[in-house]
Amino acid sequence: MSAFEKLVSHSQKIAHFNHLAAICGWDQASMMPSGGNQARSEAMAELSVHVHSLHTQPQLADWFAEAEQESLSHDQTASLRELKRQWQQANLLPEKLVQAKSLAGSKCEHAWRTQRKENDWQGFEKNWAAVVALSQEEAQIRAEANNTTPYDAMLDIYEPGTTSASLDATFNDVKSWLPNLIDQVIDKQSKENVIEPTGQFATEKQKALGLEVMKLLQFDFEHGRLDESVHPFCGGVPSDVRITTRYDENEFVQSLMGIVHETGHARYEQGLPKSLAGTPAGEARSMGIHESQSLFFEMQVGRSDAFISHLASLAGKHFNNANPELFSQHNFQKLYTRVKKDFIRVDADELTYPAHVILRYEIERDLINGNIKHTDVPELWNVKMQQYLGLSTEGNYKNGCMQDIHWTDGAFGYFPSYTLGAMYAAQYMAVMKNTVDVDGAIRSGDLSPIFTWLSDNIWSKGSLLTTDELVKQATGETLNAAHFKQHLINRYLKG
Amino acid sequence: MSAFEKLVSHSQKIAHFNHLAAICGWDQASMMPSGGNQARSEAMAELSVHVHSLHTQPQLADWFAEAEQESLSHDQTASLRELKRQWQQANLLPEKLVQAKSLAGSKCEHAWRTQRKENDWQGFEKNWAAVVALSQEEAQIRAEANNTTPYDAMLDIYEPGTTSASLDATFNDVKSWLPNLIDQVIDKQSKENVIEPTGQFATEKQKALGLEVMKLLQFDFEHGRLDESVHPFCGGVPSDVRITTRYDENEFVQSLMGIVHETGHARYEQGLPKSLAGTPAGEARSMGIHESQSLFFEMQVGRSDAFISHLASLAGKHFNNANPELFSQHNFQKLYTRVKKDFIRVDADELTYPAHVILRYEIERDLINGNIKHTDVPELWNVKMQQYLGLSTEGNYKNGCMQDIHWTDGAFGYFPSYTLGAMYAAQYMAVMKNTVDVDGAIRSGDLSPIFTWLSDNIWSKGSLLTTDELVKQATGETLNAAHFKQHLINRYLKG
């Protein structure tokens, strides 16, 4: 067995344990009764210690050194690059720091669940200080290893290859036109009339509707399923993808589009190259590329006129078309494109969402680079919220800097992925339309040509290409946010 | 840390991995789409290799030697006995033999699924020859270690402390009265009229009924759940017990009592001593004692007049009492106590079931001890089936010796547990009635006094006592099959 083969085999072994973690994690969120949590958490922690020990076995260094001397194919070289990247990430941090950050994050997050409700910044800030300090320590170690700034080293965890220099350029451009566009759209929409769903929309009916929409999106039910959880997610493994949603019986709008979103994540996972299963090269490219798939499904396909027409008629069918005006295509279009300046990112619409992300990006970048203190965050949040969305969060911590879970755990560097995903999705669609009759395919109910394009260009590539290579091969250029801007103008101003 | 503490800590580590195996195994049987099976099986196999490596770490021998010199409490001594037993079982067999038997078993079972349908004894016999030979080899190694006969060494896996000498005595007695009792009961029942359920019994309604019956049986839903699978089972972990059933929309009788049966297994698991969690002393005593709980629930409680009365009225409520005669207590009593001589063990009633078990016991005992050849089995089956139940299986392999899954995998020594469980259950009930108003408790709908007795005498003991000690402490004597005989006479002849 060559050293490269040994590395692949070792990676597959780790993947087997990660498989069990993924299924037990899904179960914990969607099936497990609350009394099972203590023993489950202990079992998961034991597994995670074991996986860490596999990642840090001493012979791996020799195998990597040998493998780099071996004669490898093009794909094997890419696979080795990803194997090495994963190994380096796993070995970079002293175990003491990993444990300290995990403990501080758990403590901060646990208390945050109460503190947020009580708008208790003083209490939160005390726990969060440790999370920020440990994250800065982590970023410093990563920065030295990567020879970058601390924040860029954190970005690299989620978006390998992306730098704050490139994000600054992209996001500064967005900031130059987005606030004005939002105002124009809100003004335009103020003259429109939307019928909101009222009444009782039984969970069973919502689920049946969701499953039918997943079929339309060609979710592979031989390799996955739909369940419920408090926070919707896409989990499991590529051969068995588990997506979840939550149902609110007072309305169906959120959950329905949530299912479309998670189906995008799921089809990416289901479409990853099977020949590379169990190795990092066979995994999704990055968080941003993952989000580009969920947002392609949700924003590019899901909110298109042609797809909205399917959603309206399917919803009408499942809810016995109690109110024909509510279930009209025209009303559905309006329901799914309403724009509102508001405080909460997770509830934000497509147009205001980037403002929420840019705000967080700018703050976390300066925080991790040590240019601001964690106690500066509420005031900075307030200033930027006024600037981008005209809203004050003074004294309103729970709807300000305490609203998200990410920072409580020290997941700095993750937020940009959301908007990068939206931008990539718009770019794919602009290019896809050159060769695929997208609207025709959606209208016909057979969306295969769209999925073939995504499979050929994104899903089947796994992580064999870098993000820039992947996007350039698919669209002829690296990230170009002009497509996103044009998409927003077309949908919200011209539409 | 003392050597004993090291052993306990190591056992808890193994238990964490077994926790993940239990949940992923449950998922595989009840949730997983078929396309996920390949990757899941690989992940489970990897886990099982890892657990085996934990059981066979070389330092354990030293720890056991040291721990045996340490000053231990009474419970710690019992715990050490069980730890050592588990360790010895895991280390007894050469890994080559374990793998060979596992492969031969998988091959035999896989082919059997088709061969059974086709009544293909010739095909089956070829694969089964290897399973039998490897099982004999295993039994021989175990026999030398335990200083017993080969079959007794296999029995010891499932029923530590039980020997074929004691089983022979018990079962020979049963054989002296059972065939005659069966004939008398069938004659008595031939004059009775039973109304069979007809129509459509929706899965959702059956499930709601099942959940209500589980509540009556005080299943702890904070630490467990009910789902569906092709073959009903009780899985999961004590803090999160997963029971399953299968629904047939043409009738509800089987599934309903199946839920009562699995709830018995589940309450045993939920009631195991939490202070010993993660160690063998905190696990269920044996397969026979486990079955004594499921059969106590199903046969002693579930088929009692008082409980049947609850079942009849709850079923009437859930199925809108479409047919009052069907849902009468009197009819339910008859539905749940019908006796019939038939071929299939898993479909057998309470009275004929022991005949099926004794037949298998006698054959597998002689087979493993090398007194008969595997090719002798069909003819022996036929002879014994005629003797015990008056049925011929000549040429009818699929309803004869090819009907069960156990032997295809080489699980020789398991079958007696079923009838031992039935006997223990009858013995508990006879003794329990001396101090507990069992019928009054069931009729009142608050069965707590019954469960308190079971918890105090069985569940809370885990494996701290040997089976004989456990049963003697609970009932004042070791296994006494006279209670079982009396129970059958009371229910089927006098009732």
Side-chain angles (χ1 to χ4, degrees):
Chain A
M1 209 188 253
S2 73
F4 174 74
E5 285 164 344
K6 283 186 209 162
L7 288 167
V8 166
S9 163
H10 188 70
S11 174
Q12 286 164 339
K13 178 188 258 198
I14 293 172
H16 289 146
F17 288 105
N18 285 335
H19 175 135
L20 304 170
I23 296 301
C24 288
W26 164 86
D27 181 272
Q28 195 166 19
S30 67
M31 294 285 155
M32 188 187 73
S34 61
N37 197 51
Q38 172 76 16
R40 177 67 54 83
S41 299
E42 286 168 15
M44 298 284 274
E46 187 79 57
L47 181 63
S48 125
V49 168
H50 180 60
V51 167
H52 182 72
S53 83
L54 291 173
H55 274 303
T56 53
Q57 287 185 356
Q59 70 269 34
L60 293 171
D62 296 338
W63 292 354
F64 276 108
E66 276 178 59
E68 281 170 349
Q69 304 305 316
E70 286 171 357
S71 154
L72 301 177
S73 72
H74 187 267
D75 280 4
Q76 286 174 330
T77 305
S79 182
L80 183 61
R81 177 194 71 216
E82 296 299 320
L83 283 162
K84 192 166 182 185
R85 180 183 141 73
Q86 194 177 70
W87 172 66
Q88 285 171 329
Q89 294 276 2
N91 285 272
L92 209 51
L93 303 179
E95 213 164 332
K96 243 177 130 172
L97 176 59
V98 174
Q99 280 173 357
K101 194 184 167 196
S102 167
L103 277 175
S106 295
K107 186 181 170 192
C108 185
E109 186 195 316
H110 185 79
W112 165 78
R113 293 178 187 273
T114 315
Q115 288 162 344
R116 189 188 166 202
K117 283 182 209 140
E118 295 168 353
N119 199 39
D120 177 13
W121 165 255
Q122 307 299 333
F124 177 74
E125 175 268 313
K126 282 185 194 72
N127 291 327
W128 197 44
V131 176
V132 171
L134 291 162
S135 298
Q136 285 170 332
E137 196 180 330
E138 173 186 353
Q140 194 56 47
I141 294 170
R142 292 182 181 278
E144 278 160 32
N146 291 13
N147 200 21
T148 61
T149 63
Y151 182 71
D152 278 15
M154 294 300 281
L155 260 184
D156 187 68
I157 304 172
Y158 309 102
E159 290 303 323
T162 294
T163 61
S164 40
S166 66
L167 285 179
D168 286 342
T170 305
F171 287 170
N172 283 336
D173 177 59
V174 173
K175 280 160 64 178
S176 74
W177 51 262
L178 186 66
N180 185 37
L181 179 60
I182 291 171
D183 285 335
Q184 283 180 275
V185 172
I186 288 177
D187 183 57
K188 177 169 180 274
Q189 292 189 347
S190 66
K191 293 144 204 157
E192 294 172 358
N193 186 30
V194 189
I195 303 160
E196 301 272 356
T198 52
Q200 176 82 356
F201 302 93
T203 293
E204 277 315 303
K205 287 186 181 178
Q206 291 200 45
K207 187 174 178 182
L209 169 61
L211 289 169
E212 197 165 349
V213 171
M214 286 167 74
K215 251 182 226 162
L216 190 59
L217 295 168
Q218 299 182 16
F219 180 94
D220 178 358
F221 287 95
E222 278 293 294
H223 294 93
R225 44 181 291 145
L226 168 69
D227 294 280
E228 291 175 57
S229 68
V230 178
H231 302 286
F233 66 94
C234 171
V237 292
S239 61
D240 184 4
V241 179
R242 308 288 173 96
I243 69 170
T244 68
T245 189
R246 66 167 162 243
Y247 301 104
D248 173 353
E249 297 211 329
N250 297 312
E251 63 101 359
F252 57 86
V253 179
Q254 293 283 346
S255 174
L256 182 56
M257 198 52 90
I259 288 174
V260 173
H261 180 96
E262 299 304 336
T263 301
H265 282 305
R267 292 225 51 200
Y268 186 13
E269 290 287 318
Q270 291 179 333
L272 288 167
K274 281 157 196 62
S275 60
L276 296 170
T279 68
E283 293 172 11
R285 177 59 276 181
S286 72
M287 293 300 116
I289 298 298
H290 229 310
E291 206 66 16
S292 81
Q293 296 310 295
S294 53
L295 291 174
F296 189 91
F297 275 59
E298 180 186 348
M299 301 301 181
Q300 300 299 324
V301 172
R303 280 176 164 80
S304 70
D305 289 356
F307 199 81
I308 286 285
S309 161
H310 286 300
L311 287 185
S313 72
L314 288 173
K317 186 184 86 176
H318 282 272
F319 301 120
N320 305 318
N321 209 352
N323 180 348
E325 275 184 90
L326 167 62
F327 295 109
S328 71
Q329 181 186 345
H330 191 61
N331 190 56
F332 260 55
Q333 269 159 354
K334 285 188 285 184
L335 271 175
Y336 278 115
T337 53
R338 276 175 306 173
V339 173
K340 192 181 171 207
K341 294 178 182 178
D342 218 331
F343 293 106
I344 305 300
R345 176 187 58 85
V346 293
D347 297 332
D349 54 81
E350 184 179 19
L351 195 60
T352 58
Y353 204 105
H356 291 275
V357 167
I358 294 170
L359 176 154
R360 284 155 180 75
Y361 160 69
E362 292 175 338
I363 294 175
E364 68 177 15
R365 177 198 59 201
D366 292 351
L367 185 64
I368 293 299
N369 284 337
N371 300 331
I372 59 169
K373 294 195 299 288
H374 77 281
T375 46
D376 298 334
V377 170
E379 180 48 26
L380 271 168
W381 192 287
N382 180 38
V383 168
K384 287 178 188 291
M385 202 65 183
Q386 304 234 27
Q387 210 176 324
Y388 305 157
L389 290 172
L391 298 170
S392 163
T393 58
E394 201 175 335
N396 187 359
Y397 307 101
K398 68 177 175 182
N399 293 323
C401 64
M402 282 175 71
Q403 70 179 262
D404 289 309
I405 199 171
H406 305 53
W407 286 350
T408 69
D409 282 338
F412 297 99
Y414 190 102
F415 280 119
S417 304
Y418 295 112
T419 291
L420 288 173
M423 289 170 168
Y424 287 129
Q427 186 166 336
Y428 305 149
M429 184 54 104
V431 174
M432 190 188 292
K433 283 190 167 170
N434 294 335
T435 54
V436 176
D437 175 12
V438 172
D439 287 327
I442 298 176
R443 254 193 301 274
S444 78
D446 178 4
L447 284 70
S448 304
I450 297 169
F451 302 136
T452 300
W453 192 99
L454 290 173
S455 175
D456 289 349
N457 288 285
I458 314 290
W459 305 342
S460 67
K461 304 295 185 188
S463 289
L464 285 174
L465 306 173
T466 66
T467 303
D468 274 357
E469 286 168 356
L470 180 79
V471 175
K472 197 165 180 186
Q473 283 197 13
T475 68
E477 56 184 343
T478 56
L479 181 67
N480 177 356
H483 298 291
F484 180 58
K485 179 181 180 184
Q486 193 57 51
H487 158 73
L488 294 177
I489 291 169
N490 289 346
R491 171 165 293 164
Y492 292 92
L493 271 192
K494 299 192 185 161
Chain B
M1 210 186 250
S2 73
F4 174 74
E5 285 164 344
K6 283 186 211 161
L7 288 167
V8 166
S9 163
H10 189 69
S11 175
Q12 286 164 339
K13 179 189 256 196
I14 294 173
H16 289 145
F17 288 104
N18 285 335
H19 176 136
L20 304 170
I23 296 301
C24 288
W26 164 85
D27 182 272
Q28 195 166 17
S30 67
M31 294 284 155
M32 188 188 74
S34 61
N37 197 51
Q38 172 77 17
R40 177 67 53 82
S41 300
E42 286 169 15
M44 299 284 273
E46 187 79 57
L47 181 62
S48 124
V49 167
H50 180 60
V51 167
H52 182 72
S53 83
L54 291 174
H55 274 302
T56 54
Q57 287 185 358
Q59 69 269 35
L60 292 172
D62 297 335
W63 293 354
F64 277 109
E66 274 178 61
E68 281 170 350
Q69 303 305 315
E70 287 171 356
S71 154
L72 301 177
S73 73
H74 186 268
D75 280 5
Q76 286 174 330
T77 305
S79 182
L80 182 62
R81 176 195 70 217
E82 295 300 319
L83 283 162
K84 191 164 182 186
R85 181 182 140 74
Q86 194 176 71
W87 171 66
Q88 284 172 330
Q89 294 275 2
N91 285 272
L92 208 51
L93 303 178
E95 211 163 333
K96 244 177 129 171
L97 176 60
V98 174
Q99 280 173 357
K101 193 185 167 197
S102 168
L103 277 175
S106 294
K107 186 181 169 192
C108 184
E109 184 194 318
H110 185 78
W112 164 78
R113 292 176 188 277
T114 316
Q115 287 161 345
R116 189 187 166 201
K117 283 182 209 139
E118 295 168 354
N119 200 38
D120 177 13
W121 166 255
Q122 307 298 332
F124 176 74
E125 175 269 312
K126 282 184 195 70
N127 291 328
W128 198 43
V131 176
V132 172
L134 291 162
S135 299
Q136 286 171 330
E137 196 180 331
E138 173 186 353
Q140 194 56 48
I141 294 170
R142 292 183 181 277
E144 278 161 32
N146 291 13
N147 198 22
T148 61
T149 65
Y151 182 70
D152 279 16
M154 295 301 281
L155 260 184
D156 187 68
I157 304 172
Y158 309 103
E159 290 304 323
T162 294
T163 62
S164 39
S166 67
L167 285 178
D168 285 342
T170 305
F171 287 171
N172 283 336
D173 177 59
V174 172
K175 280 159 65 179
S176 74
W177 50 263
L178 187 66
N180 185 38
L181 180 58
I182 292 171
D183 285 335
Q184 285 180 272
V185 172
I186 288 176
D187 183 57
K188 177 169 180 272
Q189 292 189 346
S190 68
K191 293 143 202 158
E192 295 172 355
N193 186 31
V194 189
I195 303 158
E196 300 271 356
T198 52
Q200 175 83 358
F201 301 94
T203 292
E204 276 314 304
K205 287 186 182 178
Q206 291 200 45
K207 188 175 178 183
L209 169 60
L211 289 170
E212 197 165 349
V213 171
M214 287 167 73
K215 251 181 225 161
L216 191 59
L217 295 169
Q218 299 183 17
F219 180 94
D220 179 358
F221 287 95
E222 277 294 294
H223 294 93
R225 44 180 293 145
L226 168 69
D227 294 281
E228 290 174 56
S229 68
V230 178
H231 302 286
F233 66 94
C234 171
V237 291
S239 61
D240 183 4
V241 179
R242 308 289 173 97
I243 70 170
T244 68
T245 189
R246 64 166 164 246
Y247 301 104
D248 173 354
E249 296 211 329
N250 296 313
E251 62 101 358
F252 57 86
V253 179
Q254 293 282 345
S255 173
L256 183 55
M257 199 53 89
I259 289 175
V260 173
H261 180 97
E262 299 305 336
T263 301
H265 282 305
R267 292 225 52 200
Y268 187 12
E269 290 286 319
Q270 290 180 333
L272 288 167
K274 281 157 196 64
S275 60
L276 297 171
T279 68
E283 292 172 13
R285 176 60 275 183
S286 72
M287 292 301 115
I289 298 297
H290 229 311
E291 205 67 14
S292 81
Q293 296 311 294
S294 53
L295 291 175
F296 189 90
F297 274 59
E298 180 187 347
M299 301 302 181
Q300 300 299 324
V301 171
R303 280 177 165 81
S304 69
D305 289 357
F307 199 81
I308 286 284
S309 161
H310 286 301
L311 288 185
S313 71
L314 287 174
K317 186 183 85 176
H318 281 273
F319 301 120
N320 305 320
N321 208 352
N323 180 349
E325 275 183 273
L326 167 61
F327 294 109
S328 72
Q329 181 186 344
H330 191 62
N331 190 57
F332 260 56
Q333 269 158 354
K334 286 188 285 187
L335 271 174
Y336 278 115
T337 52
R338 277 176 305 176
V339 173
K340 194 181 171 205
K341 294 179 181 178
D342 218 332
F343 293 106
I344 304 299
R345 177 186 58 84
V346 294
D347 297 333
D349 54 81
E350 185 180 17
L351 195 60
T352 58
Y353 205 105
H356 291 275
V357 166
I358 294 170
L359 175 154
R360 285 154 179 75
Y361 160 69
E362 292 175 337
I363 295 175
E364 68 176 15
R365 177 197 60 201
D366 292 350
L367 185 63
I368 293 300
N369 284 337
N371 299 331
I372 60 169
K373 295 194 298 287
H374 77 280
T375 45
D376 298 334
V377 169
E379 180 48 24
L380 271 169
W381 192 287
N382 180 37
V383 168
K384 288 179 189 288
M385 203 65 183
Q386 304 233 26
Q387 211 175 323
Y388 305 158
L389 290 172
L391 298 169
S392 163
T393 58
E394 201 174 336
N396 187 0
Y397 307 102
K398 67 178 174 182
N399 293 325
C401 64
M402 284 175 70
Q403 70 180 263
D404 289 311
I405 199 171
H406 305 54
W407 286 350
T408 69
D409 282 338
F412 296 100
Y414 189 101
F415 280 119
S417 304
Y418 294 114
T419 291
L420 288 174
M423 290 171 168
Y424 287 130
Q427 186 165 336
Y428 305 149
M429 184 56 103
V431 173
M432 189 188 292
K433 283 189 168 172
N434 294 334
T435 54
V436 176
D437 175 12
V438 172
D439 287 327
I442 299 176
R443 255 193 300 273
S444 78
D446 179 4
L447 283 71
S448 305
I450 298 169
F451 302 136
T452 301
W453 192 99
L454 291 173
S455 174
D456 288 349
N457 287 285
I458 313 292
W459 305 343
S460 67
K461 305 294 184 188
S463 289
L464 285 175
L465 306 173
T466 66
T467 303
D468 274 357
E469 286 168 355
L470 180 79
V471 175
K472 196 164 180 185
Q473 281 197 14
T475 68
E477 56 184 341
T478 56
L479 181 66
N480 176 357
H483 298 291
F484 181 58
K485 180 181 180 185
Q486 194 57 51
H487 158 72
L488 295 178
I489 290 170
N490 289 347
R491 171 165 294 163
Y492 291 93
L493 272 193
K494 299 192 184 161

